Amino acid sequence: MPNFSESHIYGHNVQNVPRSALAALAVTAVLLTTPPAQAQPASSTVPTSTTTTAVVPGLKAVVSAAPAAKLAHTYRRGCPVPPGRLRLIRMNHWGFDGKVHRGELIVSRQAVSPMLYVFGRAFAAKFPIRRMKVMAEYRGSDTAAMKQDNTSAFNCRAVTGSPGKRSQHSYGNAIDINTLENPYVDTSGRVYPPAGRRYLRRDRPVKGMIRRGDVITTAMRKVGWQWGGRWAHPDYQHFSANGR
């Protein structure tokens, strides 16, 4: 195992992370660009590079504890995952304008390595992301975030369209990507965001659209995350660790 300092783990800066979590983060060093072994078919070929920076220098990911300000309106007493088990990832992504932008995601501690792998692959392929802001920027409103075509992960809330059901975003183990180009259709047939209805036709290439076999679905499959786009009531923007 390489010798990692507390501020530099798996090729990225790690700031303000509790000491108790450092060992777990360091273990992911040799797995950063290699999806978790249990998620891999025995015959699959996995990346062999040890760090995302070695493969995708421009990602420039920085992982830290999630500051209280970044959890405003999205975390409250009774949420299933305490703030100490959440991480803030700051990283670069390609925008719809063809330029590199800085984005932020909050995910569970366990989701850090999978998300760095996925967004490393996305960055290398220049897959465009409209914006990547934490849900505190939208006061926790999924409707407002989807309207802005935002990419986000943690948000302690109910499933949009199913108020009695807790969303997987509450655990920090789910993410929505380019919500306009990848709309969600609830069980009643309502489309979120409404402007996304024009993107329900999935048989044509559209900037930012997620399609079967593309860089996003392929990378997610390699880390064992499942796509809501395959559901009977599709959620094209949604990926989660447990398929819900």
Side-chain angles (χ1 to χ4, degrees), residues 4-5 9 14 16 34 36 38 48 58 61 75 81 84 101 139 149-151 175 179-180 230-231 237 239:
F4 299 105
S5 70
I9 292 179
V14 180
N16 303 318
T34 303
Q38 62 271 25
T48 58
Y75 177 82
V81 178
H101 298 268
R139 300 180 66 84
D149 204 10
N150 189 52
T151 292
I175 188 168
T179 52
L180 178 62
R230 303 181 69 178
W231 297 345
Q237 62 196 248
F239 292 87

Side-chain angles (χ1 to χ4, degrees), residues 146 178-212 227-238:
M146 285 193 289
N178 288 346
T179 52
L180 178 62
E181 294 77 18
N182 302 289
Y184 158 52
V185 183
D186 72 12
T187 55
S188 69
R190 184 175 180 180
V191 179
Y192 299 87
R197 181 175 292 277
R198 66 183 182 271
Y199 296 109
L200 290 178
R201 179 184 165 190
R202 313 297 290 181
D203 61 350
R204 53 191 167 72
V206 173
K207 184 183 290 187
M209 181 181 283
I210 298 168
R211 304 174 72 200
R212 188 187 302 262
W227 184 32
R230 303 181 69 178
W231 297 345
H233 298 280
D235 192 349
Y236 294 112
Q237 62 196 248
H238 183 84

Side-chain angles (χ1 to χ4, degrees), residues 54-134:
V55 178
V56 190
L59 191 66
K60 297 183 179 178
V62 177
V63 180
S64 70
K70 298 292 183 180
L71 295 174
H73 310 290
T74 66
Y75 177 82
R76 60 198 60 84
R77 187 183 298 275
C79 289
V81 178
R85 288 168 54 192
L86 297 171
R87 297 290 179 266
L88 172 65
I89 304 175
R90 294 184 175 95
M91 59 186 162
N92 289 343
H93 65 84
W94 290 98
F96 278 50
D97 57 2
K99 299 178 181 179
V100 174
H101 298 268
R102 197 71 171 159
E104 295 184 332
L105 283 179
I106 291 179
V107 299
S108 71
R109 186 174 60 199
Q110 294 86 350
V112 169
S113 184
M115 290 303 94
L116 289 179
Y117 174 79
V118 169
F119 285 99
R121 302 280 67 74
F123 190 88
K126 294 189 175 182
F127 181 86
I129 293 171
R130 179 86 63 183
R131 56 178 52 84
M132 185 188 292
K133 297 181 178 181
V134 299

Side-chain angles (χ1 to χ4, degrees), residues 150-165:
N150 189 52
T151 292
S152 65
F154 174 77
N155 188 15
C156 187
R157 61 172 175 82
V159 173
T160 299
S162 299
K165 186 177 181 181

Side-chain angles (χ1 to χ4, degrees), residues 168 171 173-174 224-226 231 238-244:
Q168 290 302 304
Y171 300 87
N173 290 327
W225 283 42
Q226 299 179 50
W231 297 345
H238 183 84
F239 292 87
S240 64
N242 64 5
R244 297 197 293 270

